[in-house]
Amino acid sequence: MRISVIGSGYVGLITAAGFAENGHTVICVDVLQEKINAINKKKSPIYEKGLDEILKRVVGKNLTATTDLRKAVMGTDMTFLCVGTPSNGDGSVDLKYVKKASEDIGRVLKEKRGYHVVVVKSTVIPGTTEDVVIPVLERNSGRKVGRDFGVAMNPEFLREGVAIEDFMNPDRIVIGASDKKAGDFVESVYHGFSSPILRTDIKTAEMIKYASNAFLATKISFINEIGNICKKLGIDVYDVAKGIGLDHRISPHFLRAGIGFGGSCFPKDVKALVYKAREIKETPAILNSVLEVNKKQPLKILDIAKKKAGKLKGKRVAVLGLAFKAETDDMRESPAIAIVNELVRKGAKVAAYDPKATENAKAIFGDKIKYARSATEALRGSELALIVTDWIEFKNLNFKEMKKKVVVDGRKAINEDTLPNDVEYEGVCW
Ligand code: UDX
Ligand code: UDX
């Protein structure tokens, strides 16, 4: 199949690289020339495990990148819409990129011969594809969905850091389509995948994405709430999580308590669902609580730090980890943002280290903090260390150059059993 992918961000680029690796001919499109140049030079503009290796194999062969959307759509049979869907301040989804890309695709479809399917992969609130994307495509193409072209919604479930693995071996593939022909067309590009394929209507596919992320976020806030209670009762919530996770109805996944969830999806998607629910006069009590727990959770690490190490003013604090989770350079909605800002506000002197996210962090914190080149450098001379991201390299850290060896772990990243006796270690929920 000849596939064009509009928007070469995290989702678009993984999707494009994955389809190319599986033998399809793919054209990536983005409005940013530097992204396109990087891809054409076989260099991923984002850090994602395994992506550079795939780009080396496919770029120039069956994957090319361009800023020319028209040419890309004209030369392909299927177009995946992967532009960003940022959050407006009030939680609603900003659809300007989705609308703009749909207009551009529609104008090309006006001239294009042959059957074409437009597949929405961007996360959009149930109803958006039918109420916004399809009308814009029809208006700009002068053609009719179902008769002249097809539309489908095929949500992504890619976790950053393991996105290639998630693309190649998904738990399920969800395809919501305007009609059977469009759905069959999309299903054909997943030929060879052994995952279950679920065919639905368009808005059900849109809702499956939101319900999945909302459920996973709920699991995290739930275990954090249990963890906060455990902490006060002197119980390790990780033992509790193991105990409940063995019940197959609960499962052991997404029960890692700590400083809460961040990233480009969970916070934004839960807020968007809350916004939509309110708009249709529903009160989403559980989802509201999920967000409330998650808002407070990052600062738990500072409450504990203050109890252990006294006031933060003037204190030299090592912050280890800035990314919203390990194996990514992504800082979007990272719990590190609230933690570092509060440390700065309280007058602490922060030296931060992250194996990948330092450049992105500089854009957020500027010169308010120092950026160390290694964990050892950040720890040197500090009186308090906060573990904010669960990077594997933090498992067996050496704290001997700290001035005062107080360590508060927000992610259970450290192997507590191997710590020397002179390190005072405390976990957020254990
Ligand atoms: C994706 C999904 O699209 C979003 O709905 C989901 O919730 C999270 O994952 P992501 O890939 O992370 O977003 O976004 P981003 O990395 O910002 O990439 C979007 C890309 O689209 C950018 O490279 C941007 O330059 C490009 N873009 C944006 C276009 O090419 N055209 C536009 O009109 C707008
Ligand atoms: C998520 C979804 O998992 C994925 O399917 C897709 O919809 C995009 O959004 P991602 O944001 O990349 O993926 O990361 P994920 O591994 O889900 O973690 C999200 C956040 O939750 C991270 O901040 C992580 O540290 C946190 N988390 C995760 C926990 O605090 N505890 C857990 O048990 C699991």
Side-chain angles (χ1 to χ4, degrees), residues 223-237 296-297 300 303-304 307 426-430:
I223 202 66
N224 283 337
E225 185 161 291
I226 296 289
N228 295 339
I229 300 169
C230 282
K231 183 74 190 169
K232 295 228 162 118
L233 296 176
I235 298 165
D236 183 338
V237 72
K296 292 186 186 147
Q297 207 61 20
K300 292 271 171 197
D303 292 344
I304 292 167
K307 270 193 209 130
E426 197 75 46
V428 167
C429 300
W430 52 94

Side-chain angles (χ1 to χ4, degrees), residues 265-276:
C265 289
F266 286 175
K268 172 174 77 110
D269 293 351
V270 179
K271 279 180 205 153
L273 197 51
V274 164
Y275 185 91
K276 187 67 192 176

Side-chain angles (χ1 to χ4, degrees), residues 295-320:
K295 194 168 177 202
K296 292 186 186 147
Q297 207 61 20
L299 297 182
K300 292 271 171 197
I301 199 170
L302 297 185
D303 292 344
I304 292 167
K306 275 184 264 179
K307 270 193 209 130
K308 294 289 288 186
K311 64 178 187 332
L312 298 167
K313 194 169 175 3
K315 200 166 252 108
R316 173 77 204 272
V317 181
V319 171
L320 299 183

